[in-house]
Amino acid sequence: MSLRDIIIAQISTQGPMRMDDYMSMCLLHPTQGYYTTRPPFGTQGDFITAPEISQMFGELIGLSLAQAWLDQGAPASFTLAELGPGRGTLMADALRAASRVKGFIDAAQITLLEASPALRQVQAETLNTYTPHWIDSIDALPEQPTYLIANEFFDALPIRQFVRDDTRWRERQVGMQDGTLAFGLGPAQPQPALAHRIEDTKDGDLIEDCAAAAPILSTVSTRIATHGGAALVFDYGDWRSVGDTLQAVHDHAPTDPLIEPGHADLTAHVDFEALLNATVPCTPSRVTPQGIFLERLGITQRAQTLAKTLSGAALESHIAAHRRLTHPQEMGNLFKTFGIVPKGAAMLPGLET
Ligand code: SAH
Protein backbone atom coordinates (compact mmCIF):
# COMPACT_ATOMS: atom_id res chain seq x y z
CA MET A 1 0.00 0.00 0.00
CA SER A 2 1.46 3.37 -0.97
CA LEU A 3 1.58 6.22 1.54
CA ARG A 4 -1.01 7.98 -0.60
CA ASP A 5 -3.40 5.00 -0.18
CA ILE A 6 -2.72 4.91 3.57
CA ILE A 7 -3.57 8.62 3.84
CA ILE A 8 -6.69 8.25 1.68
CA ALA A 9 -7.88 5.30 3.81
CA GLN A 10 -7.40 7.35 6.98
CA ILE A 11 -9.29 10.35 5.54
CA SER A 12 -12.13 8.08 4.39
CA THR A 13 -12.67 6.75 7.90
CA GLN A 14 -11.69 9.72 10.09
CA GLY A 15 -12.37 12.76 7.90
CA PRO A 16 -10.00 15.52 6.70
CA MET A 17 -6.49 15.50 8.14
CA ARG A 18 -4.73 18.40 9.86
CA MET A 19 -1.72 19.77 7.99
CA ASP A 20 0.70 18.86 10.79
CA ASP A 21 -0.52 15.24 10.71
CA TYR A 22 -0.18 15.17 6.93
CA MET A 23 3.35 16.61 7.08
CA SER A 24 4.39 14.17 9.82
CA MET A 25 3.18 11.21 7.82
CA CYS A 26 4.86 12.41 4.62
CA LEU A 27 8.19 13.11 6.29
CA LEU A 28 8.48 10.53 9.03
CA HIS A 29 6.10 7.61 8.33
CA PRO A 30 8.08 4.60 9.67
CA THR A 31 8.35 2.78 6.34
CA GLN A 32 7.36 5.31 3.67
CA GLY A 33 8.27 8.72 5.04
CA TYR A 34 10.48 11.02 3.03
CA TYR A 35 13.29 11.22 5.60
CA THR A 36 12.87 7.65 6.85
CA THR A 37 13.43 6.07 3.47
CA ARG A 38 16.27 8.03 1.88
CA PRO A 39 19.13 10.46 2.42
CA PRO A 40 17.60 13.35 0.49
CA PHE A 41 20.45 15.85 0.31
CA GLY A 42 23.27 16.75 -1.95
CA THR A 43 23.48 17.09 -5.69
CA GLN A 44 22.09 13.54 -6.06
CA GLY A 45 19.21 14.23 -3.69
CA ASP A 46 16.21 16.52 -3.91
CA PHE A 47 17.71 19.63 -2.40
CA ILE A 48 21.01 20.99 -1.17
CA THR A 49 21.71 22.58 2.18
CA ALA A 50 24.45 25.01 3.23
CA PRO A 51 26.85 22.40 4.69
CA GLU A 52 26.52 20.35 1.49
CA ILE A 53 27.35 23.42 -0.60
CA SER A 54 30.69 24.09 1.07
CA GLN A 55 32.83 22.87 3.96
CA MET A 56 33.30 26.54 4.95
CA PHE A 57 29.82 26.67 6.48
CA GLY A 58 30.47 23.96 9.09
CA GLU A 59 34.02 25.12 9.69
CA LEU A 60 32.97 28.65 10.66
CA ILE A 61 30.18 27.34 12.88
CA GLY A 62 32.62 24.99 14.62
CA LEU A 63 35.01 27.86 15.29
CA SER A 64 32.22 30.13 16.52
CA LEU A 65 31.05 27.50 19.03
CA ALA A 66 34.63 26.73 20.10
CA GLN A 67 35.16 30.44 20.80
CA ALA A 68 32.00 30.50 22.94
CA TRP A 69 33.34 27.44 24.79
CA LEU A 70 36.64 29.27 25.48
CA ASP A 71 34.76 32.42 26.52
CA GLN A 72 32.84 30.40 29.09
CA GLY A 73 35.96 28.93 30.70
CA ALA A 74 36.37 25.80 28.52
CA PRO A 75 34.23 23.37 30.56
CA ALA A 76 35.99 19.99 30.78
CA SER A 77 32.96 18.00 29.68
CA PHE A 78 30.13 19.22 27.49
CA THR A 79 27.52 18.14 24.96
CA LEU A 80 28.10 19.15 21.37
CA ALA A 81 24.64 18.62 19.92
CA GLU A 82 22.99 18.92 16.55
CA LEU A 83 19.30 18.81 15.73
CA GLY A 84 18.50 17.11 12.41
CA PRO A 85 22.12 16.58 11.30
CA GLY A 86 21.26 15.30 7.78
CA ARG A 87 24.33 13.55 6.38
CA GLY A 88 26.52 14.66 9.31
CA THR A 89 28.53 16.95 7.04
CA LEU A 90 28.12 20.10 9.10
CA MET A 91 29.18 18.35 12.31
CA ALA A 92 32.19 16.74 10.60
CA ASP A 93 33.35 20.10 9.18
CA ALA A 94 32.75 21.85 12.52
CA LEU A 95 34.77 19.22 14.40
CA ARG A 96 37.65 19.31 11.93
CA ALA A 97 37.93 23.09 12.27
CA ALA A 98 37.42 23.12 16.04
CA SER A 99 40.05 20.42 16.56
CA ARG A 100 42.56 23.27 16.33
CA VAL A 101 41.20 24.62 19.60
CA LYS A 102 43.11 22.72 22.26
CA GLY A 103 40.96 20.48 24.45
CA PHE A 104 37.67 21.10 22.62
CA ILE A 105 37.28 17.74 20.90
CA ASP A 106 38.33 15.73 23.98
CA ALA A 107 35.78 17.53 26.12
CA ALA A 108 32.93 17.17 23.59
CA GLN A 109 30.31 14.42 23.66
CA ILE A 110 28.63 14.42 20.28
CA THR A 111 24.87 14.07 20.63
CA LEU A 112 22.50 13.97 17.66
CA LEU A 113 18.72 14.32 17.59
CA GLU A 114 17.65 12.49 14.45
CA ALA A 115 14.31 10.87 13.66
CA SER A 116 15.33 8.99 10.51
CA PRO A 117 17.03 5.58 10.87
CA ALA A 118 18.40 5.91 7.31
CA LEU A 119 20.04 9.24 8.15
CA ARG A 120 21.37 7.95 11.49
CA GLN A 121 23.20 5.33 9.46
CA VAL A 122 24.75 7.98 7.19
CA GLN A 123 25.69 10.13 10.21
CA ALA A 124 27.32 7.12 11.89
CA GLU A 125 29.51 6.65 8.82
CA THR A 126 30.41 10.33 8.43
CA LEU A 127 31.24 10.77 12.12
CA ASN A 128 32.65 7.33 12.96
CA THR A 129 35.91 8.71 14.38
CA TYR A 130 34.02 10.78 16.99
CA THR A 131 31.69 8.13 18.53
CA PRO A 132 28.48 10.16 18.41
CA HIS A 133 25.35 9.02 20.15
CA TRP A 134 21.73 9.62 19.25
CA ILE A 135 18.76 10.77 21.27
CA ASP A 136 15.09 10.27 20.42
CA SER A 137 13.76 13.35 22.13
CA ILE A 138 15.13 16.72 23.17
CA ASP A 139 14.45 15.92 26.84
CA ALA A 140 17.26 13.37 26.65
CA LEU A 141 19.88 16.13 26.21
CA PRO A 142 22.28 15.52 29.13
CA GLU A 143 22.31 17.92 32.07
CA GLN A 144 25.66 19.57 31.33
CA PRO A 145 27.04 22.50 29.30
CA THR A 146 25.50 22.29 25.84
CA TYR A 147 26.77 23.74 22.56
CA LEU A 148 24.18 23.13 19.86
CA ILE A 149 23.63 23.59 16.13
CA ALA A 150 20.38 23.43 14.15
CA ASN A 151 20.50 24.06 10.41
CA GLU A 152 17.27 23.64 8.46
CA PHE A 153 15.78 21.61 11.31
CA PHE A 154 12.91 23.82 12.42
CA ASP A 155 11.58 24.20 8.85
CA ALA A 156 11.03 20.43 8.73
CA LEU A 157 8.75 20.40 11.78
CA PRO A 158 5.03 20.02 11.02
CA ILE A 159 2.90 23.14 10.87
CA ARG A 160 -0.81 23.89 11.04
CA GLN A 161 -2.36 26.53 8.79
CA PHE A 162 -5.29 28.77 9.68
CA VAL A 163 -7.32 31.20 7.58
CA ARG A 164 -8.79 34.12 9.47
CA ASP A 165 -12.58 34.41 9.50
CA ASP A 166 -13.54 37.58 11.40
CA THR A 167 -12.03 36.94 14.85
CA ARG A 168 -12.05 33.17 14.44
CA TRP A 169 -9.95 30.80 12.33
CA ARG A 170 -10.68 28.05 9.80
CA GLU A 171 -8.03 25.33 9.76
CA ARG A 172 -6.62 24.27 6.39
CA GLN A 173 -6.90 20.51 6.05
CA VAL A 174 -6.12 17.73 3.62
CA GLY A 175 -9.27 15.97 2.40
CA MET A 176 -10.60 14.28 -0.71
CA GLN A 177 -12.19 15.79 -3.80
CA ASP A 178 -13.11 13.81 -6.93
CA GLY A 179 -10.97 10.87 -5.81
CA THR A 180 -7.78 12.87 -5.18
CA LEU A 181 -6.23 14.61 -2.20
CA ALA A 182 -7.27 18.27 -1.96
CA PHE A 183 -6.93 21.15 0.47
CA GLY A 184 -10.05 22.36 2.25
CA LEU A 185 -11.03 24.51 5.22
CA GLY A 186 -12.56 23.35 8.49
CA PRO A 187 -15.25 25.28 10.40
CA ALA A 188 -14.51 28.70 11.93
CA GLN A 189 -13.40 28.27 15.54
CA PRO A 190 -11.80 30.42 18.20
CA GLN A 191 -8.06 29.75 18.60
CA PRO A 192 -6.86 31.34 21.84
CA ALA A 193 -3.22 30.45 20.98
CA LEU A 194 -3.49 32.73 17.92
CA ALA A 195 -4.85 35.77 19.80
CA HIS A 196 -1.64 37.73 19.10
CA ARG A 197 -2.16 37.32 15.35
CA ILE A 198 -5.44 39.26 15.33
CA GLU A 199 -3.44 42.50 15.47
CA ASP A 200 -1.36 41.88 12.33
CA THR A 201 -3.80 40.02 10.06
CA LYS A 202 -7.05 40.75 8.27
CA ASP A 203 -10.01 38.63 7.22
CA GLY A 204 -8.95 35.90 4.77
CA ASP A 205 -5.24 35.96 5.69
CA LEU A 206 -3.51 32.62 6.16
CA ILE A 207 -1.04 32.11 8.98
CA GLU A 208 1.02 29.18 10.13
CA ASP A 209 1.73 27.75 13.54
CA CYS A 210 4.47 25.26 14.42
CA ALA A 211 3.58 23.98 17.87
CA ALA A 212 6.54 21.59 18.03
CA ALA A 213 9.26 24.26 17.62
CA ALA A 214 8.98 26.31 20.83
CA PRO A 215 9.14 23.41 23.34
CA ILE A 216 12.32 22.09 21.67
CA LEU A 217 14.09 25.44 21.76
CA SER A 218 12.81 26.10 25.24
CA THR A 219 14.40 22.86 26.50
CA VAL A 220 17.67 23.78 24.78
CA SER A 221 17.55 27.25 26.35
CA THR A 222 16.95 25.82 29.82
CA ARG A 223 19.96 23.49 29.49
CA ILE A 224 22.15 26.39 28.35
CA ALA A 225 20.87 28.77 31.03
CA THR A 226 21.40 26.15 33.74
CA HIS A 227 24.75 24.65 32.75
CA GLY A 228 26.29 27.07 30.24
CA GLY A 229 26.78 26.70 26.51
CA ALA A 230 25.41 28.28 23.36
CA ALA A 231 23.20 27.48 20.37
CA LEU A 232 23.22 28.57 16.75
CA VAL A 233 20.04 28.22 14.69
CA PHE A 234 19.88 28.70 10.90
CA ASP A 235 16.73 28.63 8.84
CA TYR A 236 14.64 30.46 6.32
CA GLY A 237 11.62 32.43 7.32
CA ASP A 238 10.45 35.68 8.78
CA TRP A 239 9.18 37.48 11.81
CA ARG A 240 5.47 36.44 11.98
CA SER A 241 5.00 35.61 8.32
CA VAL A 242 1.59 35.85 6.69
CA GLY A 243 0.72 33.52 3.81
CA ASP A 244 1.15 29.92 2.76
CA THR A 245 4.84 28.93 2.89
CA LEU A 246 4.37 25.16 2.71
CA GLN A 247 6.79 24.04 0.06
CA ALA A 248 7.33 20.66 -1.59
CA VAL A 249 10.58 20.00 -3.42
CA HIS A 250 11.46 16.96 -5.50
CA ASP A 251 14.55 16.62 -7.66
CA HIS A 252 15.58 20.27 -7.04
CA ALA A 253 12.22 21.60 -8.32
CA PRO A 254 9.00 22.70 -6.60
CA THR A 255 6.16 20.20 -6.79
CA ASP A 256 2.56 19.86 -5.56
CA PRO A 257 2.67 18.86 -1.85
CA LEU A 258 -0.33 16.54 -2.33
CA ILE A 259 0.71 14.74 -5.48
CA GLU A 260 2.89 11.91 -4.19
CA PRO A 261 3.04 11.86 -0.39
CA GLY A 262 6.44 10.74 0.93
CA HIS A 263 8.29 11.50 -2.31
CA ALA A 264 8.96 15.21 -1.83
CA ASP A 265 10.59 17.19 0.94
CA LEU A 266 8.02 19.33 2.76
CA THR A 267 9.07 22.45 4.65
CA ALA A 268 7.59 25.71 5.85
CA HIS A 269 9.17 29.01 6.79
CA VAL A 270 9.98 29.32 10.46
CA ASP A 271 8.48 32.10 12.56
CA PHE A 272 11.51 33.71 14.18
CA GLU A 273 9.34 35.54 16.68
CA ALA A 274 7.99 32.26 18.05
CA LEU A 275 11.51 30.81 18.20
CA LEU A 276 12.97 33.82 19.98
CA ASN A 277 10.12 33.85 22.51
CA ALA A 278 11.19 30.33 23.47
CA THR A 279 14.74 31.42 24.36
CA VAL A 280 13.61 33.36 27.43
CA PRO A 281 15.97 31.90 30.07
CA CYS A 282 18.93 32.88 27.81
CA THR A 283 20.10 35.98 25.94
CA PRO A 284 19.31 35.71 22.22
CA SER A 285 21.22 37.58 19.54
CA ARG A 286 19.51 39.62 16.88
CA VAL A 287 18.18 37.60 13.96
CA THR A 288 20.93 38.12 11.38
CA PRO A 289 21.10 37.30 7.67
CA GLN A 290 23.27 34.22 7.10
CA GLY A 291 25.45 36.08 4.58
CA ILE A 292 26.32 38.82 7.05
CA PHE A 293 27.06 36.32 9.80
CA LEU A 294 29.42 34.32 7.56
CA GLU A 295 31.16 37.46 6.32
CA ARG A 296 31.75 38.62 9.89
CA LEU A 297 33.33 35.27 10.67
CA GLY A 298 35.75 35.66 7.78
CA ILE A 299 34.29 33.41 5.09
CA THR A 300 35.94 35.49 2.37
CA GLN A 301 39.43 35.04 3.83
CA ARG A 302 38.76 31.30 4.27
CA ALA A 303 37.48 31.11 0.67
CA GLN A 304 40.66 32.80 -0.58
CA THR A 305 42.88 30.38 1.35
CA LEU A 306 41.02 27.37 -0.01
CA ALA A 307 41.05 28.82 -3.53
CA LYS A 308 44.88 28.66 -3.56
CA THR A 309 44.68 24.85 -3.50
CA LEU A 310 42.14 24.62 -6.34
CA SER A 311 42.04 25.09 -10.09
CA GLY A 312 39.75 24.55 -13.08
CA ALA A 313 36.21 23.29 -12.43
CA ALA A 314 36.88 22.77 -8.70
CA LEU A 315 37.91 26.41 -8.33
CA GLU A 316 34.84 27.60 -10.23
CA SER A 317 32.50 25.54 -8.10
CA HIS A 318 34.23 26.79 -4.93
CA ILE A 319 33.71 30.42 -6.01
CA ALA A 320 30.06 29.66 -6.84
CA ALA A 321 29.60 28.01 -3.42
CA HIS A 322 30.93 31.06 -1.60
CA ARG A 323 28.54 33.26 -3.54
CA ARG A 324 25.63 30.91 -2.98
CA LEU A 325 26.06 30.87 0.80
CA THR A 326 26.50 34.62 1.21
CA HIS A 327 25.02 36.62 -1.67
CA PRO A 328 21.80 38.49 -0.76
CA GLN A 329 20.08 37.18 -3.88
CA GLU A 330 21.02 33.58 -3.11
CA MET A 331 20.98 32.12 0.44
CA GLY A 332 22.58 35.17 2.10
CA ASN A 333 19.37 36.98 2.97
CA LEU A 334 16.64 34.35 2.81
CA PHE A 335 18.43 32.29 5.44
CA LYS A 336 18.83 33.84 8.83
CA THR A 337 20.60 32.93 12.02
CA PHE A 338 20.47 33.73 15.68
CA GLY A 339 22.45 32.53 18.65
CA ILE A 340 21.70 32.11 22.33
CA VAL A 341 24.01 32.21 25.34
CA PRO A 342 23.42 32.25 29.11
CA LYS A 343 22.48 35.65 30.51
CA GLY A 344 25.65 37.64 31.15
CA ALA A 345 27.85 35.51 28.86
CA ALA A 346 29.64 36.86 25.78
CA MET A 347 27.57 36.55 22.59
CA LEU A 348 28.82 34.15 19.92
CA PRO A 349 31.29 35.64 17.42
CA GLY A 350 29.52 37.07 14.38
CA LEU A 351 26.33 37.93 16.27
CA GLU A 352 25.20 40.81 18.47
CA THR A 353 22.46 41.35 21.01
N1 SAH B 1 20.91 19.90 9.03
C1 SAH B 1 21.04 19.11 7.82
C2 SAH B 1 19.73 18.48 7.37
C3 SAH B 1 18.52 19.36 7.26
S1 SAH B 1 17.07 18.45 6.76
C4 SAH B 1 21.68 19.94 6.73
O1 SAH B 1 21.78 21.14 6.90
O2 SAH B 1 22.06 19.38 5.71
C5 SAH B 1 16.21 18.13 8.26
C6 SAH B 1 16.85 17.12 9.17
O3 SAH B 1 16.05 17.01 10.34
C7 SAH B 1 16.98 15.70 8.64
O4 SAH B 1 18.14 15.13 9.19
C8 SAH B 1 15.71 15.05 9.18
O5 SAH B 1 15.74 13.65 9.19
C9 SAH B 1 15.65 15.65 10.56
N2 SAH B 1 14.33 15.70 11.17
C10 SAH B 1 13.18 16.14 10.61
N3 SAH B 1 12.17 16.12 11.50
C11 SAH B 1 12.71 15.66 12.66
C12 SAH B 1 12.18 15.42 13.97
N4 SAH B 1 10.88 15.64 14.23
N5 SAH B 1 13.01 14.96 14.92
C13 SAH B 1 14.32 14.74 14.65
N6 SAH B 1 14.88 14.94 13.44
C14 SAH B 1 14.09 15.39 12.46
Side-chain angles (χ1 to χ4, degrees):
M1 212 184 191
S2 72
L3 186 56
R4 189 170 177 276
D5 292 339
I6 296 171
I7 289 172
I8 288 174
Q10 184 170 324
I11 291 172
S12 313
T13 54
Q14 298 170 22
M17 197 181 264
R18 272 166 41 173
M19 190 74 79
D20 54 345
D21 294 331
Y22 179 76
M23 258 181 106
S24 293
M25 281 184 92
C26 289
L27 294 178
L28 295 175
H29 184 275
T31 55
Q32 301 195 49
Y34 180 72
Y35 286 122
T36 20
T37 50
R38 73 198 82 194
F41 327 95
T43 41
Q44 305 299 316
D46 285 317
F47 61 98
I48 188 153
T49 55
E52 304 295 335
I53 290 173
S54 167
Q55 67 185 73
M56 297 186 291
F57 187 73
E59 289 172 350
L60 293 170
I61 289 170
L63 292 174
S64 183
L65 289 179
Q67 183 62 53
W69 176 74
L70 288 173
D71 288 343
Q72 292 181 37
S77 176
F78 70 92
T79 303
L80 182 60
E82 185 170 357
L83 310 181
R87 298 167 53 87
T89 310
L90 195 168
M91 182 59 87
D93 292 336
L95 286 165
R96 194 182 56 254
S99 66
R100 298 191 176 188
V101 176
K102 200 164 159 281
F104 185 81
I105 300 281
D106 290 341
Q109 284 138 36
I110 317 297
T111 302
L112 309 173
L113 176 70
E114 174 55 67
S116 155
L119 284 172
R120 283 187 182 202
Q121 189 57 44
V122 178
Q123 291 153 18
E125 285 158 25
T126 313
L127 298 168
N128 65 347
T129 48
Y130 300 105
T131 55
H133 76 273
W134 285 265
I135 52 175
D136 295 325
S137 117
I138 198 72
D139 298 321
L141 266 184
E143 295 284 351
Q144 62 174 358
T146 301
Y147 293 79
L148 179 138
I149 311 160
N151 182 59
E152 290 208 53
F153 168 75
F154 288 101
D155 67 21
L157 298 181
I159 54 150
R160 293 169 74 181
Q161 294 184 322
F162 297 90
V163 174
R164 185 163 161 191
D165 182 340
D166 195 11
T167 55
R168 296 184 298 169
W169 301 89
R170 300 181 67 185
E171 180 152 16
R172 197 161 179 238
Q173 301 168 324
V174 179
M176 296 289 298
Q177 201 173 34
D178 305 328
T180 58
L181 294 173
F183 290 119
L185 291 179
Q189 283 173 335
Q191 295 287 348
L194 300 179
H196 65 296
R197 298 307 305 264
I198 294 292
E199 67 193 33
D200 70 325
T201 54
K202 56 184 189 323
D203 224 19
D205 278 350
L206 182 150
I207 59 147
E208 297 174 333
D209 184 53
C210 179
I216 293 176
L217 198 56
S218 171
T219 302
V220 170
S221 303
T222 304
R223 286 291 185 286
I224 292 173
T226 311
H227 304 286
L232 265 174
V233 174
F234 296 81
D235 231 308
Y236 60 121
D238 256 308
W239 196 261
R240 280 195 194 190
S241 65
V242 178
D244 173 18
T245 74
L246 181 73
Q247 179 180 306
V249 171
H250 178 65
D251 200 11
H252 298 270
T255 180
D256 178 340
L258 300 183
I259 212 131
E260 243 188 319
H263 287 254
D265 184 42
L266 295 182
T267 59
H269 283 197
V270 306
D271 176 351
F272 281 99
E273 180 189 45
L275 288 183
L276 256 70
N277 283 343
T279 68
V280 162
C282 288
T283 301
S285 75
R286 285 187 213 174
V287 177
T288 305
Q290 170 177 300
I292 291 177
F293 171 73
L294 295 174
E295 289 298 353
R296 286 182 185 156
L297 291 182
I299 193 170
T300 299
Q301 291 89 317
R302 178 69 182 132
Q304 284 163 352
T305 307
L306 282 173
K308 288 186 191 135
T309 65
L310 300 169
S311 62
L315 177 60
E316 270 170 41
S317 103
H318 168 65
I319 292 168
H322 175 216
R323 183 187 152 88
R324 197 160 170 198
L325 288 179
T326 56
H327 196 279
Q329 272 155 11
E330 304 226 19
M331 293 172 82
N333 243 352
L334 175 64
F335 279 79
K336 299 181 178 70
T337 180
F338 66 89
I340 59 175
V341 292
K343 287 198 190 321
M347 186 39 74
L348 289 143
L351 296 173
E352 56 198 15
T353 51

